[in-house]
Amino acid sequence: MEFITYEQQDFVGIITINRPKALNALNSSVLEELDKTLEQVDLANTRCLILTGAGDKSFVAGADIGEMSTLTKAEGEAFGKKGNDVFRKLETFPIPVIAAINGFALGGGCEIAMSCDIRICSDNAVFGQPEVGLGITPGFGGTQRLARTVGVGMAKQMIYTGRNIKSDEAFRIGLVNAVYSQEELMDAAKKLASTISMNAPIAVRNCKKAINDGLQVDMDAAIVIEEKLFGDCFETEDQKAGMGNFLEKDKEKKLKIVPFQNK
Ligand code: DAK
């Protein structure tokens, strides 16, 4: 692949968007390669993904403005669909995805981060939806995911003004969960991913599905979704081992069941 690198460290997969000369802007090739990379993740041996950008300046500086500038209406729609499909694939990917945002996350960059489960960033990170300044609306789900992530009022302010915000403000409004120095960011992301990957993998997957699917429906239906996914866990080795060890008060054994087995 030309623009994506993939590295596996134990149960954690690290996807890096590697187009630093264009500040990792998303062109069609990047989107296609990202889609292919996600298709190829070995889900039997991977429990958490980290998504980051190459270099120390930018996570993703948006969709590629050069490529978009000459699109016809039909081509614009096709480009939008390509992006939306891969962003949705990330959002509904069976295992958690952590965005390690190491610099600019503008336009499509902010949008791809919001398609991930968890966002953490470096102190030089800058977020924004500058599309209205380019004569377009956010096209990769920004109007929807930003409002759901930081609330309607703050999302509208960011989108209508096109104003960028820095890492401290992103933390204050809940767009990111934590801010680290540039040097610390990847270690923090790996530590978080490793903590997640030491827990029962089917339970973690079911939690993601319950949260995502439950948010799309009313509370009565959401609770039914949770019940079903909770019930599924009782067919797993992890549930038997995890609860058995607790009841036996066997701390040694408790450690030994890590890493958990799959169903
Ligand atoms: N696209 C293409 N190239 C980009 C780019 C981008 N978004 N951002 C940066 N680059 C390139 C620059 O052109 C430059 O290339 P060279 O001139 O060296 O060849 C190189 O990266 C370095 O950038 P700068 O020289 O500008 O670096 P600075 O440090 O001075 O400034 C910056 C960094 C991030 C502030 C600046 O590059 C910037 O403002 N970039 C654009 C940010 C932006 O507006 N992003 C949002 C793009 S709009 C849709 C679906 C999705 C979308 C739209 C439609 N449909 C449904 C169809 C999404 C839209 C967007 O994301």
Side-chain angles (χ1 to χ4, degrees):
M1 295 214 189
E2 190 181 353
F3 298 124
I4 301 284
T5 62
Y6 183 82
E7 188 191 343
Q8 185 85 27
Q9 292 186 5
D10 300 322
F11 288 117
V12 178
I14 303 170
I15 299 176
T16 305
I17 298 175
N18 187 17
R19 200 187 167 214
K21 280 189 189 147
L23 303 185
N24 304 319
L26 303 171
N27 62 13
S28 300
S29 304
V30 174
L31 293 172
E32 280 159 20
E33 289 186 15
L34 183 56
D35 186 66
K36 212 174 279 174
T37 303
L38 290 172
E39 286 293 326
Q40 290 172 359
V41 170
D42 172 10
L43 281 169
N45 295 299
T46 311
R47 297 178 182 184
C48 190
L49 291 178
I50 297 172
L51 179 71
T52 193
D56 55 10
K57 188 170 169 184
S58 182
F59 172 66
V60 170
D64 190 299
I65 299 172
E67 182 175 331
M68 279 194 299
S69 64
T70 57
L71 296 182
T72 62
K73 182 172 184 287
E75 288 166 344
E77 276 177 25
F79 181 72
K81 176 162 171 41
K82 198 177 279 185
N84 278 325
D85 285 353
V86 68
F87 283 29
R88 191 78 183 117
K89 193 174 273 185
L90 271 176
E91 188 168 45
T92 59
F93 207 63
I95 57 176
V97 185
I98 298 169
I101 301 154
N102 56 318
F104 292 113
L106 303 176
C110 190
E111 290 168 309
I112 198 169
M114 289 188 292
S115 302
C116 299
D117 296 273
I118 295 171
R119 286 159 294 287
I120 59 175
C121 74
S122 53
D123 49 16
N124 67 327
V126 176
F127 298 81
Q129 297 289 162
E131 285 86 349
V132 289
L134 296 165
I136 55 175
T137 60
F140 287 149
T143 57
Q144 302 310 306
R145 293 195 183 97
L146 191 59
R148 285 165 170 77
T149 307
V150 301
V152 175
M154 190 55 77
K156 285 182 171 172
Q157 183 173 320
M158 281 179 69
I159 290 171
Y160 298 168
T161 63
R163 190 178 68 84
N164 292 342
I165 60 170
K166 293 184 180 164
S167 54
D168 54 347
E169 194 173 351
F171 177 64
R172 187 179 62 76
I173 66 173
L175 185 52
V176 297
N177 291 2
V179 182
Y180 299 92
S181 70
Q182 283 180 265
E183 298 71 39
E184 287 170 331
L185 177 67
M186 276 316 284
D187 281 346
K190 287 177 193 171
K191 197 168 166 202
L192 183 56
S194 163
T195 302
I196 291 170
S197 69
M198 296 308 275
N199 285 320
I202 292 168
V204 171
R205 287 181 189 210
N206 284 11
C207 288
K208 173 166 177 170
K209 193 162 168 49
I211 293 168
N212 280 0
D213 293 358
L215 284 172
Q216 306 308 317
V217 296
D218 65 40
M219 186 56 89
D220 288 325
I223 285 300
V224 174
I225 291 172
E226 188 186 74
E227 280 164 13
K228 207 181 149 346
L229 290 159
F230 173 77
D232 280 354
C233 296
F234 289 82
E235 287 185 328
T236 66
E237 302 271 329
D238 298 333
Q239 177 270 328
K240 290 171 189 39
M243 290 190 180
N245 288 336
F246 175 80
L247 293 174
E248 284 169 28
K249 300 189 189 305
D250 187 341
K251 285 195 180 143
E252 272 302 300
K253 206 168 168 195
K254 193 170 183 183
L255 289 174
K256 276 188 206 144
I257 63 162
V258 174
F260 289 86
Q261 297 167 326
N262 278 312
K263 189 155 49 169

